[in-house]
């Protein structure tokens, strides 16, 4: 094992440390956030700092870097209180990555990813995404520790490809085929090891 | 596409809704949290609500369900201010899942996963894990929206299997071979689609 103590971590080259620390959690969710500003200009941004907060009511959290520079996605969410989350397919994950460039125009126009509009929701979805969520802003908390901004949102509408939805409400990610991310720039497909039974002391878990 | 609007989400059977909402973020990090209480009794618990907060200083967040019942892991962290995060391998992911049963004894003893002790750190690691982090509590924030508890911690020591550490500080998850989770009970291995170049408007991203 290679070891880094706190002093070594502090002394690492900034790029090396950023790579290492971003990689430590392992596989992370990967979602494109679709927004528009009050003038209707759309924006699309790739995020991995996404966390499930609760199921009843359905809540999800998105962490933004400190709001010390212009952040279009965060500002659009604060202005319109709405955004979409869209999972990414391998076939267009390079375009999804390209949204992270510093574009002067809408990332939809720039990268060729297509907007999809749905009734009764102001923010744009990504066409062809097999898991699309319409979210409404509930709360914003700035974490004092490093000024990152945690957006807490209610999941208002869910769209899931039929082939990935099981009878018990779980999603079959082998069927959906969407992508995870590690670190800042590496993308992955998954392969299921199967589901395990609800854990009880009396029985070693079995596949279900 | 199958659609659920907010009214339908509210009316779903509780188990179906829990399954669906927990599956919506996609692939999530999977980490065993090792702690001990002030009497030295160890605890091991499986978590997926883990979020990268920042690289300098290295910070990570763990979300706990509301502290309305006894939560050993959270209470041990509050008492000792220290915990470990340990990634999971396919060979023992069933034992990792089994830690989620309601044990009266230490989950190490119960499931057969082995404690590893490292110099100068009070909490137990999981032997054989290829990514092990020693973390110190920095802050606790209860999210008013649903009373979940966000633990913000500093990554104090990092242990990574040599074969998974690249020259630029990124981790090679094909080599590490650790597991991700979707929903509450499904585990996955990953397969890399490769890394992509830093995104610029002038160039379509290329593999690096």
């Amino acid at each position: 094992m290679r070891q880094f103590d706190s002093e070594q971590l502090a002394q690492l080259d900034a790029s090396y440390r950023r790579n290492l620390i971003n990689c430590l959690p392992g596989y992370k969710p990967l979602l494109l956030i679709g927004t528009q500003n009050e003038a209707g200009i759309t924006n699309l941004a790739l995020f991995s700092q996404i966390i499930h907060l609760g199921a009843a009511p359905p809540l999800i959290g998105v962490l933004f870097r400190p709001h010390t520079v212009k952040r279009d996605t965060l500002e659009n969410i604060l202005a319109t209180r709405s955004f979409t989350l869209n999972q990414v397919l391998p076939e267009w994950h390079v375009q999804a990555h390209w949204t992270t460039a510093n574009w002067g125009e809408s990332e939809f126009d720039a990268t060729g990813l297509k907007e999809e509009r749905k009734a009764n929701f102001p923010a744009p979805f990504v066409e062809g995404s097999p898991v699309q969520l319409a979210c409404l802003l509930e709360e914003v908390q700035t974490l004092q520790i490093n000024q990152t901004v945690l957006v807490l949102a209610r999941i208002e509408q869910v769209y899931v490809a039929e082939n990935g939805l099981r009878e018990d409400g779980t999603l079959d990610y082998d069927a959906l085929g969407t992508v995870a991310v590690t670190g800042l720039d590496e993308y992955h497909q998954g392969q299921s090891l199967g589901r395990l039974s609800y854990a009880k002391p009396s029985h070693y878990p079995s596949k279900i």
Side-chain angles (χ1 to χ4, degrees), chain A residues 22-30 48-50 178-183 186-191 193:
Chain A
N22 273 279
C23 280
L24 294 178
Y27 295 102
K28 298 179 288 187
L30 183 71
S48 63
Q49 264 77 271
I50 306 265
T178 56
V179 171
V181 65
T182 61
E186 187 159 8
Y187 301 91
H188 307 261
Q189 287 187 280
Q191 186 172 10
L193 297 164

Side-chain angles (χ1 to χ4, degrees), chain A residues 3 5 47 51 66 96 119 124 128 137 145 153 163 179 187 196 207:
Chain A
Q3 174 183 356
D5 63 23
F47 275 74
I51 195 164
L137 176 62
I145 198 168
N163 71 332
V179 171
Y187 301 91
L196 294 175
K207 291 215 174 173

Side-chain angles (χ1 to χ4, degrees), chain A residues 3-4 8 19 27 40 71 80 82 90 123 129 136 139 142 174:
Chain A
Q3 174 183 356
F4 302 89
Q8 290 167 319
N19 284 337
Y27 295 102
R71 298 214 180 275
T80 65
S82 63
S129 169
L136 293 179
E139 269 184 45
T142 298
D174 277 357

Side-chain angles (χ1 to χ4, degrees), chain A residues 153-196:
Chain A
R154 178 187 291 260
I155 299 170
E156 187 74 2
Q157 299 169 26
V158 172
Y159 300 85
V160 181
E162 292 279 359
N163 71 332
L165 181 62
R166 299 195 187 105
E167 279 189 7
D168 65 355
T170 60
L171 300 186
D172 178 347
Y173 276 94
D174 277 357
L176 291 169
T178 56
V179 171
V181 65
T182 61
L184 295 162
D185 58 19
E186 187 159 8
Y187 301 91
H188 307 261
Q189 287 187 280
Q191 186 172 10
S192 179
L193 297 164
R195 295 176 64 188
L196 294 175

Side-chain angles (χ1 to χ4, degrees), chain A residues 2-3 7 19 25 38 64 68 79 88-90 93 100 111 114 138 155 159 169 189 195-196 199 203-204:
Chain A
R2 176 70 176 277
Q3 174 183 356
E7 199 169 320
N19 284 337
E38 286 174 309
F64 291 81
T68 50
V88 174
L89 286 176
H93 82 282
T100 65
T111 66
K114 288 201 178 59
E138 289 273 344
I155 299 170
Y159 300 85
Q189 287 187 280
R195 295 176 64 188
L196 294 175
H203 297 85
Y204 192 68

